[in-house]
Amino acid sequence: LAKITQPISMDSYEGQEVNITCSHNNIATNDYITWYQQFPSQGPRFIIQGYKTKVTNEVASLFIPADRKSSTLSLPRVSLSDTAVYYCLLNNFNKFYFGSGTKLNVKP
Amino acid sequence: DGGITQSPKYLFRKEGQNVTLSCEQNLNHDAMYWYRQDPGQGLRLIYYSQIVNDFQKGDIAEGYSVSREKKESFPLTVTSAQKNPTAFYLCASSFSTDTQYFGPGTRLTVL
C-alpha cells in the first residue's frame, strides 16, 4: 500500500516560486504521479502528470528524481489566486492513492 | 460543452432515507469514480468502474451502492446504512487508468 506524505500547509508571497514536495517511498514501477489543485467546494483540477525526470506545462513544472521516491510540484511566480489545496496522486492501472493535500496560502 | 456534471449541487436528506447522486460525463471516458471528502480532509475512494456493467469497491464502500448501466452515467446511492453520510461527494472520469477529471461535486447534508 503506497504511503504518500505531503506538508500540511505552506505560506508564500505573490511573485515567488513555490515548491511543494510529495514523498512516496513505496512507489511502484508503473505508478504515475499526478498533481491536482482544489479550491473550496470545487472539484480538484488537473495540474500536471509525470513518470520520471522533469515535466513542464504552461502552469507548472514537476520534478521527479531518479529513484522516484519523491516528486516536487513547482509553481512559478504565484499569485493570490493560487491559494488552494494541492494534492499528489499515485495512479497505476486500477490503484490510485491520494496524498492528504498541502494548503498553500499566498500572501500579498 | 464537454465535461463532467454532478447534480444536485446541494442535497439534504433525513436520517434513514436513501439518496442518489447523479454523475454524467460526455468525454467518452471508460472509467468513472466516486470519492468522498470530509471537511479539511483528503479524498477517499468509494467505488470505481472501468467498464460498463462492472464496478469495484474502493476503500470506504460500506453504506454505498453504484450502478454502471451506461458508459456516460455512474450514479451513487447513499443508503441508510451509511452512518455518517454528511460530506462532499466528487465524481471523476478518465480514459482507462489515465488522468482523472473531476466534476464540481455534490454537498450532502443529513438533517
Side-chain angles (χ1 to χ4, degrees):
Chain A
L1 184 66
K3 179 174 171 59
I4 301 172
T5 305
Q6 300 179 234
I8 294 174
S9 64
M10 295 181 67
D11 289 333
S12 181
Y13 290 93
E14 280 192 291
Q16 287 187 331
E17 178 184 72
V18 171
N19 295 311
I20 306 174
T21 296
C22 181
S23 296
H24 29 78
N25 290 326
N26 296 329
I27 188 168
T29 302
N30 295 327
D31 281 343
Y32 279 78
I33 301 160
T34 309
W35 283 83
Y36 290 87
Q37 175 193 57
Q38 187 181 30
F39 298 111
S41 297
Q42 294 186 23
R45 184 174 71 99
F46 170 81
I47 302 175
I48 196 166
Q49 183 183 67
Y51 181 79
K52 61 180 179 180
T53 63
K54 177 183 174 182
V55 179
T56 298
N57 62 22
E58 62 275 10
V59 298
S61 294
L62 178 59
F63 299 93
I64 306 170
D67 65 6
R68 302 199 331 120
K69 293 185 176 183
S70 66
S71 58
T72 299
L73 173 71
S74 181
L75 304 172
R77 302 179 59 80
V78 294
S79 63
L80 295 177
S81 63
D82 292 317
T83 293
V85 178
Y86 292 83
Y87 289 97
C88 170
L89 164 71
L90 297 188
N91 58 288
N92 168 17
F93 190 51
N94 61 346
K95 297 182 175 61
F96 359 86
Y97 306 101
F98 272 95
S100 54
T102 298
K103 182 169 172 49
L104 173 64
N105 184 29
V106 180
K107 304 175 183 178
Chain B
D1 184 25
I4 305 170
T5 57
Q6 293 185 241
S7 61
K9 188 171 178 64
Y10 299 97
L11 190 57
F12 298 90
R13 184 194 98 173
K14 294 181 179 179
E15 281 194 48
Q17 287 183 336
N18 292 355
V19 63
T20 297
L21 282 60
S22 169
C23 178
E24 304 277 334
Q25 55 95 3
N26 61 5
L27 301 168
N28 200 32
H29 285 168
D30 303 299
M32 297 186 73
Y33 315 81
W34 274 105
Y35 292 89
R36 169 182 172 139
Q37 188 173 38
D38 293 287
Q41 304 296 314
L43 284 74
R44 292 186 291 169
L45 183 65
I46 305 173
Y47 269 99
Y48 66 99
S49 167
Q50 294 182 312
I51 194 171
V52 174
N53 292 323
D54 187 43
F55 47 82
Q56 285 78 42
K57 293 181 179 180
D59 301 321
I60 55 166
E62 184 175 352
Y64 300 97
S65 66
V66 293
S67 63
R68 186 86 187 277
E69 298 177 0
K70 298 186 297 183
K71 186 176 185 178
E72 57 271 21
S73 178
F74 192 39
L76 173 74
T77 296
V78 184
T79 74
S80 57
Q82 170 51 236
K83 299 306 179 188
N84 298 296
T86 294
F88 189 48
Y89 290 88
L90 288 158
C91 178
S93 68
S94 70
F95 284 117
S96 185
T97 56
D98 204 347
T99 305
Q100 296 180 33
Y101 293 92
F102 286 82
T106 292
R107 187 167 299 282
L108 173 65
T109 303
V110 174
L111 303 173

